[in-house]
Amino acid sequence: MNHDKENFHQLACICDKCQYDEASFLEKVQFKLHLMFCETCKDYAAKNNRLTTLIKQANISCLSLEEQKELKSYLKDKIT
Amino acid sequence: MAKNLYTITPDRWVETHSDYLFNFAMGKVNDRDIAKDLISETFLAALKAKDNFKGEASERTWLVAILKRKIIDYYRKINSNKGKAEVKVNYFSADNDGDWLEERIENPDYVTIEDNIINNELSEAIYACLDKINPRQATIFKLKTIENYDTEVICNEYNITPSNLWVIIHRVRAALADCLKEKWLS
């Protein structure tokens, strides 16, 4: 199936939302149906799933917003 | 020929290096609070020593070197405290697996040394790719993907709409997939 760039972008965003389990029921159904006919999106979804698995596998940590703010103010105090 | 020297910008350390250093420290100490303390100590030590920064290595390499020393100091300290306070009861030997029930059950979360090495390499690769992306977008991605923040909280913090957020997430994921494709996504 061919679709224009904007349409692909919308579908890709739904696919991304699915990775975070934040797509609505309707969006999920719409996307699943689309995947039955579209190789481009199927390929994108497969890569997206693999990326999610890799990120989980890497077990990455990062600071929360609050922790970042704390660290910033600590450092600011020390600089001044 | 004159060599390009690196410079340091302490007021940008939290945005540019704190997540990387925190991830590095978590890999070594596996305790959020201790990792945070180590980062603070690292930044403080770096601030004190900033006049010694020669600019031959990047700011991050320099900070990681300081953090490594802080981690070694941390382990030295807890090991010396342990020796004083603990009596080690060793019921385990090479030909005796121990009688505790927990030890006889296979641990489903057991990770081999090889798995750990691969995962560390992967996390380094992901951070290297994220460093190439716009820092604000990379932070939004990390908060959403790694810290599992609610869409609403990120939108409020960064003053963006949910649609903007998903566009940013899409851009970062696409850039990340592109960056990781040769070694990890093929």
Side-chain angles (χ1 to χ4, degrees):
Chain A
M1 181 185 269
N2 284 329
H3 39 53
D4 57 39
K5 213 174 169 181
E6 197 182 327
N7 194 9
F8 172 72
H9 199 256
Q10 274 178 356
L11 289 158
C13 279
I14 296 176
C15 181
D16 294 334
K17 280 188 196 173
C18 290
Q19 299 299 318
Y20 299 85
D21 208 17
E22 288 198 26
S24 67
F25 177 71
L26 201 65
E27 283 175 326
K28 279 182 196 166
V29 173
Q30 185 194 352
F31 189 62
K32 290 266 177 205
L33 280 173
H34 180 78
L35 283 186
M36 292 165 83
F37 309 101
C38 180
E39 282 302 314
T40 313
C41 289
K42 210 186 227 176
D43 188 42
Y44 179 82
K47 274 187 190 154
N48 219 2
N49 287 337
R50 175 98 181 99
L51 183 64
T52 301
T53 312
L54 278 181
I55 293 167
K56 279 185 187 154
Q57 188 190 327
N59 199 16
I60 301 174
S61 315
C62 73
L63 293 167
S64 69
L65 277 170
E66 292 73 26
E67 288 165 340
Q68 276 185 27
K69 281 176 191 168
E70 270 173 36
L71 198 55
K72 260 185 205 170
S73 82
Y74 171 80
L75 202 58
K76 207 176 163 187
D77 278 356
K78 298 290 170 187
I79 291 173
T80 50
Chain B
M1 206 168 82
K3 224 161 94 180
N4 279 341
L5 292 179
Y6 293 96
T7 53
I8 50 170
T9 46
D11 49 333
R12 303 266 310 138
W13 281 351
V14 177
E15 287 94 343
T16 14
H17 306 299
S18 63
D19 278 340
Y20 180 87
L21 295 174
F22 181 69
N23 186 52
F24 185 91
M26 279 294 285
K28 307 290 178 202
V29 298
N30 201 23
D31 183 303
R32 221 177 158 86
D33 289 330
I34 295 166
K36 276 194 291 180
D37 288 345
L38 288 168
I39 307 300
S40 310
E41 285 173 26
T42 300
F43 283 154
L44 189 61
L47 269 179
K48 283 180 185 163
K50 74 176 190 310
D51 295 334
N52 302 332
F53 181 76
K54 292 178 187 141
E56 287 162 1
S58 73
E59 190 178 53
R60 179 168 293 177
T61 309
W62 183 63
L63 288 169
V64 169
I66 297 173
L67 176 60
K68 279 180 182 168
R69 284 204 293 272
K70 294 285 167 198
I71 293 169
I72 292 168
D73 289 348
Y74 162 74
Y75 276 112
R76 272 198 192 129
K77 201 174 158 191
I78 57 164
N79 281 335
S80 61
N81 287 345
K82 247 188 194 172
K84 284 174 206 158
E86 271 182 18
V87 179
K88 247 187 184 171
V89 180
N90 190 3
Y91 57 87
F92 182 87
S93 66
D95 47 12
N96 175 14
D97 282 348
D99 289 332
W100 300 103
L101 190 58
E102 288 89 337
E103 286 174 23
R104 291 199 235 153
I105 301 167
E106 197 185 345
N107 181 0
D109 298 325
Y110 181 70
V111 181
T112 64
I113 295 168
E114 287 84 359
D115 287 341
N116 256 336
I117 293 169
I118 293 170
N119 293 350
N120 283 343
E121 207 181 312
L122 177 58
S123 96
E124 284 279 330
I126 292 173
Y127 262 101
C129 292
L130 288 173
D131 278 344
K132 295 176 191 164
I133 297 166
N134 171 314
R136 185 171 175 264
Q137 295 189 348
T139 305
I140 290 173
F141 171 80
K142 281 185 271 185
L143 291 174
K144 184 74 197 151
T145 313
I146 301 166
E147 284 291 303
N148 298 317
Y149 268 66
D150 278 342
T151 300
E152 204 186 331
V153 175
I154 302 177
C155 289
N156 287 340
E157 182 67 29
Y158 288 89
N159 203 16
I160 52 175
T161 64
S163 310
N164 289 148
L165 174 93
W166 289 112
V167 169
I168 290 170
I169 295 289
H170 172 65
R171 281 187 189 149
V172 177
R173 288 185 79 91
L176 205 51
D178 194 45
C179 179
L180 292 171
K181 77 177 169 200
E182 266 183 33
K183 196 169 176 190
W184 299 96
L185 274 174
S186 51

